[in-house]
Amino acid sequence: MNRLSTLTSLLGGVLLLSASTAGADSASTTIPVFTSKIAAARTASSPGGTSVTRAEMAGALNSSFIRDMSVDSQERAYLGAQLGDATFLKGLTAQAKKYATDFHELNDAASTEAPLSLNTVAGATSELFGATGALSRSARVMEGYIPNGQGVANQVTLSTQYTLFFGSGYDGPLYFEPINPRELTERLKGQIMYGTPSLDEVDGAAAYVNEISRNSARLYVADWRTAGRGGPGDGGGYVVAAVSSDRRFVRMLEVLVWSE
């Protein structure tokens, strides 16, 4: 994969910090868009019927609050209030509520990243997954922790520290969103750089990632691509971040999906 310098990589993280200015008018723009999408999701003709499903909640949040790749203070305060409102919660499936709760926690009020130091995990990925194939050839794994009392893993920390330690010169801001174990498995099953992963690889990789987040169910995914814009060495894929229950230990699995 083509990798740009650390300085270039950090520019993407800086973009994530513009939440307060980018969303200054959220009360009259993004918040009404979100409420209208949730109202549409509650209609009988929607995919989930009168219930709001996880997919509908994710679509509403990601297409409204994340249009500028950040969540500002107004959006965060509004969502927090809704999560404490019985009227809003009525009709949400358990997974829809979990997505909204995870989204709110991930996009907290932090404006600078916590000192998360990531290191390459010892051993080949085939050993970590317990199987050899397309996934082990396309993947890299790093993990590390945030010192006690120095912050927790959140959007700005995961995004900035991923690009710092993995060295991906991505094309545009990187944004993590919550996923669950089922969605993780579906991601891992997909066609990637070296072919289609075997079921043993998928099971092994999922177990290895979930080992960290098992007690907290904190799993996140982000898509990335290098900034070559179609030239030689350009590439793209996704990265999964598993976070421990105290939000200090993080394990990241990067997968290369395509490369020029």
Side-chain angles (χ1 to χ4, degrees), residues 98 102 105 179 181 210-220 241-249:
K98 176 169 172 49
D102 290 349
E105 179 187 81
I179 58 172
N210 281 315
E211 181 181 26
I212 300 304
S213 63
R214 184 178 303 145
N215 294 330
S216 68
R218 288 181 172 89
L219 287 172
Y220 313 105
V243 178
S244 63
S245 57
D246 62 3
R247 300 176 68 191
R248 291 178 52 222
F249 190 87

Side-chain angles (χ1 to χ4, degrees), residues 4 46 54 69 96 98 112 118 128 143 148 186 197 211 216 220 231 245 249 255:
L4 301 184
S46 69
R54 181 181 177 87
M69 303 304 289
K98 176 169 172 49
T112 57
L118 298 172
L128 301 177
E143 64 184 24
N148 192 31
E186 288 303 310
E211 181 181 26
S216 68
Y220 313 105
S245 57
F249 190 87
V255 178

Side-chain angles (χ1 to χ4, degrees), residues 91-141:
L92 269 62
T93 65
Q95 279 295 314
K97 180 181 177 182
K98 176 169 172 49
Y99 188 94
T101 301
D102 290 349
F103 181 97
H104 185 258
E105 179 187 81
L106 176 64
N107 295 286
D108 62 17
S111 59
T112 57
E113 69 275 11
L116 170 64
S117 182
L118 298 172
N119 297 287
T120 301
V121 176
T125 49
S126 59
E127 296 173 348
L128 301 177
F129 303 161
T132 302
L135 185 57
S136 62
R137 294 179 62 197
S138 303
R140 294 194 297 162
V141 180

Side-chain angles (χ1 to χ4, degrees), residues 67-220:
R67 289 191 299 183
D68 58 358
M69 303 304 289
S70 64
V71 176
D72 65 42
S73 59
Q74 291 183 32
E75 294 164 341
R76 175 176 167 75
Y78 175 81
L79 182 57
Q82 296 306 295
L83 289 171
D85 185 339
T87 300
F88 175 80
L89 295 176
K90 185 177 181 179
L92 269 62
T93 65
Q95 279 295 314
K97 180 181 177 182
K98 176 169 172 49
Y99 188 94
T101 301
D102 290 349
F103 181 97
H104 185 258
E105 179 187 81
L106 176 64
N107 295 286
D108 62 17
S111 59
T112 57
E113 69 275 11
L116 170 64
S117 182
L118 298 172
N119 297 287
T120 301
V121 176
T125 49
S126 59
E127 296 173 348
L128 301 177
F129 303 161
T132 302
L135 185 57
S136 62
R137 294 179 62 197
S138 303
R140 294 194 297 162
V141 180
M142 299 185 79
E143 64 184 24
Y145 69 94
I146 300 168
N148 192 31
Q150 296 189 38
V152 295
N154 49 30
Q155 184 71 259
V156 66
T157 297
L158 295 177
S159 301
T160 304
Q161 302 305 82
Y162 163 69
T163 57
L164 174 62
F165 286 95
F166 277 79
S168 296
Y170 56 82
D171 185 10
L174 190 76
Y175 164 69
F176 280 89
E177 59 182 286
I179 58 172
N180 59 26
R182 173 181 53 79
E183 293 162 340
L184 169 63
T185 298
E186 288 303 310
R187 277 274 188 161
L188 295 173
K189 285 180 179 179
Q191 182 81 12
I192 53 179
M193 180 63 191
Y194 295 106
T196 302
S198 68
L199 292 180
D200 285 345
E201 279 190 301
V202 170
D203 290 344
Y208 184 72
V209 171
N210 281 315
E211 181 181 26
I212 300 304
S213 63
R214 184 178 303 145
N215 294 330
S216 68
R218 288 181 172 89
L219 287 172
Y220 313 105

